[in-house]
């Protein structure tokens, strides 16, 4: 079943249930950026929210689109249900009470059915995104912490764990790049191509691959440090976050003492 058929089938199964007041599309199917590989994100509004009864109705509706082979019922978020059918159509639904819908805006939703005209009462656009200073500081510190663990991984010859450290550094660099672009439609984790610039992609592609060998592991950590830390310092200045100067300094001192590694960039004064 194609996406349009899936959406129509689910809507038809739920439209006349008196305890379900509205169904909206969200994500890429709401903002016009969906492709053949997109999942289908829904927001369902029910009088009593994400009850077991509503979850049961939702499962019955999804089952009409195909055999359900994965069903995660409110496991990670109390109002979220994830499903995959046998043709690998992925559907996610957030189940809210009517008074919880206000966190959304008209720009982020497309009505499928809306018995109480809830859509008309939403803000036209979401509020401007304010940088999360606490999260940013945590990520800056986390990068330095993982970098500092390099001396431990080398000392124990834990090269497999060292490779995992490189992956963590890479994820933090990608997160930072996305913050730099300020992309409004983040989408899921598999939408990186539209979230970063060509120059940012070039930086990522030029970085060494993680290899579970001593010198390669050290070189990869240093390459990521050189790519990340100057950008992160610039971002910290932009959003008013005090850089963890002392933490970074003692980390480089430790790496110098144990591995003879020097800081691969010169901080701007």
């Amino acid at each position: 079943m194609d996406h349009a058929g899936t959406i129509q089938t689910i809507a038809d199964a739920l439209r006349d249930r008196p305890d379900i007041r509205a169904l909206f599309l969200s994500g890429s199917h709401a903002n016009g950026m969906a492709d053949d590989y997109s999942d289908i994100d829904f927001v369902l509004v029910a009088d009593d929210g994400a009850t077991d009864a509503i979850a049961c109705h939702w499962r019955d509706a999804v089952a009409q689109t195909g055999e359900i082979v994965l069903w995660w019922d409110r496991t990670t978020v109390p109002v979220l249900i994830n499903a995959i059918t046998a043709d690998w159509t992925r559907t996610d639904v957030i189940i809210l009470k009517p008074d919880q819908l206000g966190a959304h805006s008209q720009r982020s939703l497309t009505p499928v059915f809306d018995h109480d005209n809830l859509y008309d009462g939403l803000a036209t656009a979401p509020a401007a995104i304010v940088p999360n200073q606490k999260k940013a500081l945590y990520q800056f510190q986390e990068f330095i912490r993982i970098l500092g663990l390099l001396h431990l991984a080398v000392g124990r010859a834990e090269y497999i764990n060292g490779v995992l450290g490189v992956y963590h550094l890479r994820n933090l660099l990608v997160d930072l790049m996305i913050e730099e672009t300020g992309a409004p439609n983040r989408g899921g984790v598999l939408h990186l191509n539209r979230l970063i610039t060509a120059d940012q992609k070039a930086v990522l592609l030029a970085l060494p691959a993680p290899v579970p060998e001593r010198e390669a592991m050290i070189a990869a950590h240093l390459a990521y440090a050189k790519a990340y830390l100057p950008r992160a310092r610039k971002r910290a200045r932009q959003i008013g976050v005090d850089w963890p100067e002392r933490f970074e300094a003692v980390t480089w001192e430790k790496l110098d003492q144990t591995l003879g590694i020097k800081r691969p960039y010169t901080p701007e004064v």
Side-chain angles (χ1 to χ4, degrees), residues 33-238:
M33 302 184 74
D35 59 24
D36 291 341
Y37 306 100
S38 298
D39 60 359
I40 309 175
D41 297 302
F42 294 90
V43 174
L44 184 149
V45 181
D47 289 331
D48 297 320
T51 63
D52 289 344
I54 294 297
C56 185
H57 296 326
W58 181 256
R59 184 178 181 112
D60 289 343
V62 173
Q64 293 184 35
T65 71
E67 177 193 0
I68 297 172
V69 294
L70 176 70
W71 184 259
W72 286 346
D73 187 344
R74 296 163 289 174
T75 55
T76 57
V77 179
V79 296
L80 173 65
I81 297 176
N82 312 99
I84 299 177
T85 51
D87 64 356
W88 253 85
T89 298
R90 294 164 292 132
T91 58
D92 298 340
V93 65
I94 296 287
I95 304 172
L96 304 176
K97 297 178 182 179
D99 61 0
Q100 296 173 319
L101 191 63
H104 294 268
S105 68
Q106 292 181 357
R107 185 175 296 175
S108 66
L109 299 176
T110 295
V112 179
F113 62 81
D114 182 11
H115 299 315
D116 303 324
N117 297 317
L118 298 171
Y119 183 83
D120 293 342
L122 298 177
T124 304
I129 297 175
V130 177
N132 187 329
Q133 294 177 318
K134 183 177 180 180
K135 178 182 177 182
L137 177 59
Y138 169 80
Q139 290 184 321
F140 301 153
Q141 292 172 328
E142 179 68 351
F143 189 98
I144 297 168
R145 185 186 73 86
I146 295 169
L147 177 66
L149 291 174
L150 175 62
H151 84 278
L152 183 155
V154 173
R156 291 177 175 171
E158 287 281 359
Y159 303 132
I160 295 175
N161 280 336
V163 166
L164 296 177
V166 175
Y167 283 119
H168 285 304
L169 298 181
R170 185 177 184 84
N171 288 338
L172 288 165
L173 176 57
V174 169
D175 285 346
L176 176 60
M177 287 179 168
I178 294 172
E179 289 298 317
E180 288 174 345
T181 65
N185 296 307
R186 298 294 176 89
V189 69
L190 299 179
H191 275 301
L192 183 60
N193 280 334
R194 75 182 188 206
L195 300 182
I196 62 176
T197 67
D199 287 343
Q200 290 171 327
K201 291 177 188 177
V203 171
L204 291 172
L205 290 170
L207 289 166
V211 177
E213 183 273 325
R214 184 184 189 277
E215 296 307 319
M217 186 179 70
I218 293 172
H221 277 72
L222 284 175
Y224 275 93
K226 186 176 182 179
Y228 179 91
L229 291 169
R231 306 178 81 108
R233 282 176 170 269
K234 180 179 179 180
R235 180 66 178 168
R237 291 193 297 271
Q238 290 173 340

Side-chain angles (χ1 to χ4, degrees), residues 235-253:
R235 180 66 178 168
R237 291 193 297 271
Q238 290 173 340
I239 65 176
V241 171
D242 291 332
W243 184 254
E245 200 73 61
R246 179 63 178 157
F247 184 32
E248 185 189 352
V250 300
T251 298
W252 286 117
E253 288 171 9

